[in-house]
Structures are given as structure tokens and as C-alpha cells.
Amino acid sequence: VDNFESIAYVDDTLLVACRDTLLFLIDEADSTVTFFGYGWDPTFVARDRFAYFMRESGLCNFMVADIYTETIQNLRNLPYGQIGRWPTFIPSMNRAVYSIQESEKSIIYSFQIGQPSTRIDSSLFSQCCLADLNLILFTGPDGRIYQSDFSGGGSFPYMGSYEE
């Protein structure tokens, strides 16, 4: 039995898991755990792909890895001293969201590949999610789920929608 801080499915039987700043691949089919590399906060991108953060030469990097082609792409170098948390990337839109831990709060940012980051809001919680082309979800100041658009045009409690 192993303990991990975060786990994300990459396909039907393969997970990527984090302990401290180490990433492991867990194959449920044959019950194996294999060291993948250095990083934290793995999140699902697409089948066989995940996003994560890693530190290299003092910089925190927003990375995307493909398990089977062994392709690793650096999407963004964060400014020196910033620690990224919970990356979300939607490749078909070239859009991403992440948070930066800053003392007791997290600052949520969005960016499109090749463009500067935009500050969205702050939260006492580090997790944020790019749920759709123009929908960022995060835990707000009162513990409810909040939403913002991709350009940070204002945050308010998430109301959701129901369509039949």
C-alpha cells in the first residue's frame, strides 16, 4: 500500500500519482508502480495525457506529458519564486488555468498559449478548473463554487444550468 497526495486517471487502468515532488505511474491492470519524473498536482488533459508542475533551475514550469509517446511540453515558465498549483489545460482551445500559492491564499490565473497570463481572482483554496472554453470554476471566499470567464471579467457563485 502506498500513500499519495494526488492521483489522476490517464486512461482506463493507468493513473498518475504524486508524493512530495515525485510523480509515479500506477498500472492497475498489473499492480505496478513506476517512477515517472519530478513534479506535482497531476491533472487529466486527455486520454494518455496529463498536466503538472515541476521545478527546474529555480523556475516553476507548467508541463503537459503524453505517457505513450513520452512527449513532454513546457507550456509556461512562471516568474521566479512563484509556485504553481493545479494546472488545467484544454489542448483544442490552447487555454490553461492554474493557481499560485501566495501566503494564505491562492491567486488564479488563465492564459492562452503564446499570450500573457491574466489574473482571475483569489481564493483560500488552491484548486481551480477550466471547465469549458469560457468557464473557470474555483472555491470562493464563502466555500461555495464560484465561476469566472476566461478573461477574468468578474467572479460570482456558480449557478449551473440544466438542459433537457
Side-chain angles (χ1 to χ4, degrees):
V1 174
D2 225 331
N3 292 321
F4 296 103
E5 295 156 8
S6 58
I7 297 175
Y9 268 100
V10 180
D11 69 22
D12 297 338
T13 62
L14 189 65
L15 299 99
V16 60
C18 171
R19 181 184 326 112
D20 297 320
T21 57
L22 304 174
L23 296 173
F24 298 89
L25 298 177
I26 302 169
D27 189 329
E28 290 187 317
D30 61 10
S31 299
T32 59
V33 177
T34 307
F35 176 72
F36 175 80
Y38 296 96
W40 63 89
D41 293 345
T43 57
F44 178 81
V45 169
R47 185 173 181 86
D48 305 333
R49 295 179 75 193
F50 68 97
Y52 63 101
F53 278 106
M54 70 171 285
R55 185 183 298 273
E56 187 173 57
S57 302
L59 289 176
C60 185
N61 304 311
F62 187 124
M63 310 296 286
V64 174
D66 186 300
I67 300 295
Y68 294 108
T69 66
E70 298 181 9
T71 304
I72 298 176
Q73 180 183 12
N74 184 349
L75 298 185
R76 172 96 10 153
N77 295 327
L78 303 185
Y80 187 80
Q82 290 187 343
I83 304 297
R85 300 297 315 266
W86 300 111
T88 304
F89 176 56
I90 300 179
S92 62
M93 300 176 209
N94 279 328
R95 289 185 168 193
V97 170
Y98 63 95
S99 66
I100 297 292
Q101 196 67 43
E102 207 173 83
S103 41
E104 286 119 32
K105 63 182 177 178
S106 292
I107 310 299
I108 300 158
Y109 289 93
S110 66
F111 72 91
Q112 191 152 0
I113 303 298
Q115 302 294 318
S117 295
T118 301
R119 183 184 167 135
I120 301 300
D121 205 335
S122 64
S123 174
L124 296 175
F125 304 90
S126 61
Q127 268 188 307
C128 54
C129 176
L130 179 58
D132 203 350
L133 173 67
N134 201 30
L135 177 62
I136 297 170
L137 299 175
F138 59 96
T139 305
D142 57 5
R144 292 185 289 173
I145 296 175
Y146 271 56
Q147 69 180 37
S148 174
D149 63 18
F150 189 77
S151 62
S155 301
F156 51 90
Y158 178 67
M159 302 305 272
S161 64
Y162 177 75
E163 294 179 24
E164 247 182 69

